[in-house]
Amino acid sequence: MAATPAPQTLDLTAKDTQSVASYVKSGQPYVWLTAAAISVAFIITVALLCLTAARGMPHFWPADLLKAEYQEPGAEPVALLAELVSDEEVSTARLISAGLKLDDSKPFHTRDLVKVGNRDLYGADFRYLLDEWILNRSYPEDAVVLERMEWGNFHGFLEALKENGSVVASGEQAWTAYAERQRRADRLHHELREIEKGEIGSINYGLERVRLDTRRLELAGKTRDNAAADYQKLDARKAELDAGYERLRTRLVEIKTELARDALVLKSVDGQELEIPLAKIARGYRPNAMGLFAKLGLYFEKLWEFVSAEPREANTEGGIFPAIFGTVMMVLLMSVFVTPFGILAALYLREYAKQGTVTQIIRIAVNNLAGVPSIVYGMFGLGFFVYFVGGSLDQLFYAESLPSPTFGTPGILWASLTLAILTLPVVIVATEEGLARIPRSLREASLALGATKAETLWKVVLPMASPAMMTGLILAIARAAGEVAPLMLVGVVKLAPSLPLDGNFPFVHLERKFMHLGFHIYDVGFQSPNVEAARPLVYATSFLLVLVIVLLNVSAIRIRNRLREKYKALDG
């Protein structure tokens, strides 16, 4: 009787084994594994966005200014007016090895990173201080932060306001008068930029066109004797432009004179007095006297400046609009170039090419191209597009500009073409996979109704393959938006003097160099002389770039889903 349960146990184990095997064969474990992988990828992406946002976005918040005394043991106290940036726990042994006199009975100490500003007075605007040596802390409401065009921020106290060298207000009245005069200075700055970059830029462009047209006549063998009318027309155009330039130059002198009228007299926390013209001040505020809503307003104002203004102070101040513009324009040009070639290549491989060894070798080569390091594409673009194609274009169509190259130098056109070749395999593979999913019966039905093969491809096959085509294109855009290495060889620069798109004919200047968000991150992060000032801007720019790429991918999913709904036969 005791031996009877054993066969039942073995039977149950066999059933369980069969059940597990059946469950594995059903594919459900792989579905859950895929879902887990997607969840992990989504969590990592969100965590990356949160990290970059947490490190970059607080940079624009108007933090309070701490007034205190910093006193090291056995030394005189030093006056301090600074913004607390961050703090960290540091081991006592490490601080002692750095030369600080500390009691080693305490294993760790808190070290603060503070922004003291006043780089022109102190040499550096960031310092590391021991928290326990910061004494007599207070937050005076009259402490002033001035964001300057040069030398970074100034931290101090406003003493007086001068007009043409004479004091017109002092104390609290000076601060009230400053706000209105700063708005006046901002208006003058805006007019100055409009004239210098807009009107004078157009005149300089026109003068350069006159010079090149004159040189073209000379190269054609035309002189002032046998082509007097052409030369007279150019001379008249040049005289008109010179007169316009003189008129604008006079206005520039007037604006600069008006900007030099007002100046602020300020005093640092250690008693040093400094006079700063309003022409060199971008913004001024009293953070300790501001309420929450006032700080929120200033925060969004600085955020808007970050995405809409030009950079200054070696790209560590101001905005990144030229980099955003250059990135978007380059990606759009790349999309225009890569889409037709990628689709046509996929159509030929899937619909026209004879399926055999050669076609398989081509497919293998296309797949392998996706794994080639991007810097190799940059070297190819530099050698083929810039030096060969661009140099040939200069010889044929821009001989009057030589030896100065027009297209024979890195520019946004060559950068777009280089990235088009880099992302071409993605578009080809995605499009070919989409074409392979179209049932053969639909092609045969179209042909049976009298349509030609070309009409079948254009009106039946391509529309139904459009979800895969769009997904491949957007993935290519997402990759191109983040590439940096090849762009360093074929057109991207630290600071572009003018945008590739402006109001001068032919309006789109494909030969110009441009700024790029990815390269801007590299430049600010690794080439900036002021590391602490650059660090939050690296995170803020990275956050913007990652956000753009995420939005592109979300857009790809939505477009794909809409197209799938429109062509439901794809699921058949």
Side-chain angles (χ1 to χ4, degrees):
M1 295 295 294
T4 52
Q8 296 179 2
T9 304
L10 292 174
D11 184 56
L12 289 175
T13 304
K15 289 182 178 180
D16 292 342
T17 304
Q18 292 176 358
S19 177
V20 171
S22 176
Y23 179 69
V24 172
K25 289 181 179 180
S26 68
Q28 289 297 319
Y30 304 107
V31 173
W32 285 105
L33 183 62
T34 304
I38 294 175
S39 300
V40 170
F42 177 76
I43 292 171
I44 291 174
T45 302
V46 172
L48 177 62
L49 283 173
C50 292
L51 173 64
T52 53
R55 295 293 185 89
M57 294 299 103
H59 169 72
F60 305 102
W61 183 259
D64 290 339
L65 287 181
L66 168 67
K67 181 182 179 183
E69 292 181 344
Y70 185 70
Q71 186 171 16
E72 298 185 17
E76 291 294 323
V78 178
L80 179 71
L81 184 64
E83 170 191 334
L84 293 177
V85 178
S86 63
D87 60 78
E88 60 181 354
E89 293 292 324
V90 184
S91 66
T92 303
R94 179 181 172 187
L95 294 173
I96 292 176
S97 65
L100 298 182
K101 300 177 182 179
L102 291 171
D103 182 5
D104 57 3
S105 60
K106 187 177 179 181
F108 292 95
H109 293 267
T110 301
R111 185 173 68 172
D112 298 329
L113 174 63
V114 299
K115 183 177 182 179
V116 296
N118 305 1
R119 193 188 313 155
D120 47 343
L121 300 180
Y122 305 144
D125 46 5
F126 286 88
R127 295 176 60 189
Y128 278 103
L129 306 175
L130 275 187
D131 188 77
E132 60 193 67
W133 292 350
I134 301 177
L135 310 174
N136 302 323
R137 307 187 186 205
S138 63
Y139 292 89
E141 293 190 354
D142 58 342
V144 174
V145 176
L146 295 181
E147 296 179 9
R148 298 181 288 183
M149 303 294 183
E150 300 174 348
W151 298 106
N153 289 0
F154 177 86
H155 295 170
F157 301 91
L158 179 60
E159 295 291 314
L161 173 66
K162 286 186 175 181
E163 180 180 322
N164 294 324
S166 302
V167 176
V168 295
S170 58
E172 191 62 30
Q173 293 180 349
W175 177 254
T176 305
Y178 158 73
E180 176 59 35
R181 295 183 184 234
Q182 184 63 58
R183 286 191 289 270
R184 171 183 173 275
D186 291 341
R187 289 193 297 269
L188 292 173
H189 267 300
H190 179 73
E191 184 179 355
L192 186 68
R193 286 192 297 270
E194 288 292 322
I195 292 176
E196 289 180 339
K197 286 190 168 283
E199 298 179 58
I200 290 184
S202 298
I203 288 177
N204 289 334
Y205 184 81
L207 289 172
E208 179 64 13
R209 299 309 307 171
V210 170
R211 185 188 72 82
L212 293 176
D213 290 341
T214 304
R215 175 64 176 162
R216 189 180 294 110
L217 292 176
E218 294 173 353
L219 291 175
K222 297 181 179 180
T223 64
R224 290 187 175 272
D225 295 330
N226 56 27
D230 293 334
Y231 278 98
Q232 289 175 1
K233 187 182 297 183
L234 292 175
D235 290 341
R237 176 60 178 161
K238 185 176 183 299
E240 179 184 352
L241 292 171
D242 287 338
Y245 175 79
E246 286 299 320
R247 183 173 64 256
L248 292 175
R249 189 178 66 84
T250 302
R251 178 55 185 158
L252 284 179
V253 173
E254 295 175 355
I255 293 175
K256 291 178 179 179
T257 302
E258 292 183 47
L259 279 172
R261 188 193 72 177
D262 300 324
L264 296 180
V265 179
L266 301 120
K267 184 176 290 186
S268 64
V269 70
D270 57 0
Q272 298 185 61
E273 194 170 278
L274 188 67
E275 184 173 315
I276 304 177
L278 260 66
K280 296 183 178 181
I281 299 175
R283 183 186 291 108
Y285 55 93
R286 287 178 169 178
N288 298 346
M290 297 172 66
L292 176 61
F293 291 104
K295 287 188 175 183
L296 280 173
L298 181 57
Y299 177 75
F300 287 110
E301 179 183 333
K302 295 172 75 171
L303 272 180
W304 173 248
E305 180 189 43
F306 179 65
V307 299
S308 64
E310 296 182 353
R312 62 176 189 270
E313 283 286 299
N315 289 345
T316 59
E317 301 285 347
I320 58 170
F321 175 74
I324 298 173
F325 187 91
T327 303
V328 173
M329 185 172 179
M330 182 207 67
V331 168
L332 291 177
L333 288 173
M334 182 274 299
S335 303
V336 171
F337 295 138
V338 76
T339 302
F341 287 104
I343 294 174
L344 289 175
L347 276 174
Y348 175 77
L349 289 175
R350 176 57 57 178
E351 303 293 336
Y352 289 98
K354 182 180 180 181
Q355 302 303 312
T357 305
V358 176
T359 307
Q360 287 300 112
I361 292 174
I362 293 175
R363 286 197 176 94
I364 294 172
V366 169
N367 292 329
N368 287 337
L369 281 175
V372 174
S374 59
I375 190 66
V376 176
Y377 287 97
M379 293 298 298
F380 172 80
L382 180 65
F384 180 73
F385 290 129
V386 177
Y387 292 150
F388 179 70
V389 179
S392 300
L393 289 175
D394 285 349
Q395 293 289 341
L396 292 173
F397 304 107
Y398 300 96
E400 66 277 5
S401 299
L402 295 175
S404 298
T406 302
F407 280 97
T409 184
I412 191 169
L413 173 62
W414 308 135
S416 302
L417 285 171
T418 300
L419 289 186
I421 294 178
L422 186 149
T423 56
L424 186 61
V426 178
V427 179
I428 292 176
V429 172
T431 303
E432 193 171 359
E433 289 179 354
L435 293 172
R437 293 183 59 193
I438 309 301
R440 184 177 181 83
S441 58
L442 291 177
R443 294 177 172 86
E444 295 173 348
S446 177
L447 294 172
L449 291 174
T452 64
K453 186 171 183 177
E455 290 173 336
T456 299
L457 290 176
W458 182 254
K459 296 183 178 181
V460 177
V461 176
L462 282 180
M464 297 180 67
S466 56
M469 293 161 47
M470 290 301 303
T471 300
L473 176 61
I474 300 298
L475 291 176
I477 290 174
R479 181 182 178 185
E483 284 293 345
V484 177
L487 300 181
M488 297 171 67
L489 300 174
V490 290
V492 74
V493 291
K494 176 186 178 73
L495 185 63
S498 54
L499 297 176
L501 181 67
D502 59 22
N504 300 316
F505 183 83
F507 312 117
V508 179
H509 306 276
L510 299 179
E511 76 281 2
R512 288 182 181 175
K513 294 174 174 59
F514 67 103
M515 295 180 66
H516 184 271
L517 283 172
F519 183 77
H520 186 81
I521 294 170
Y522 163 77
D523 176 70
V524 174
F526 296 96
Q527 306 294 324
S528 174
N530 195 343
V531 178
E532 299 298 340
R535 183 178 290 116
L537 290 180
V538 170
Y539 282 109
T541 308
S542 300
F543 174 72
L544 180 62
L545 180 57
V546 173
L547 190 62
V548 168
I549 294 174
V550 169
L551 290 176
L552 285 172
N553 281 276
V554 171
S555 301
I557 294 172
R558 296 192 63 182
I559 293 172
R560 182 189 62 193
N561 291 341
R562 289 183 179 180
L563 291 173
R564 279 182 177 174
E565 287 295 322
K566 185 175 181 181
Y567 303 104
K568 290 184 178 180
L570 273 173
D571 297 328

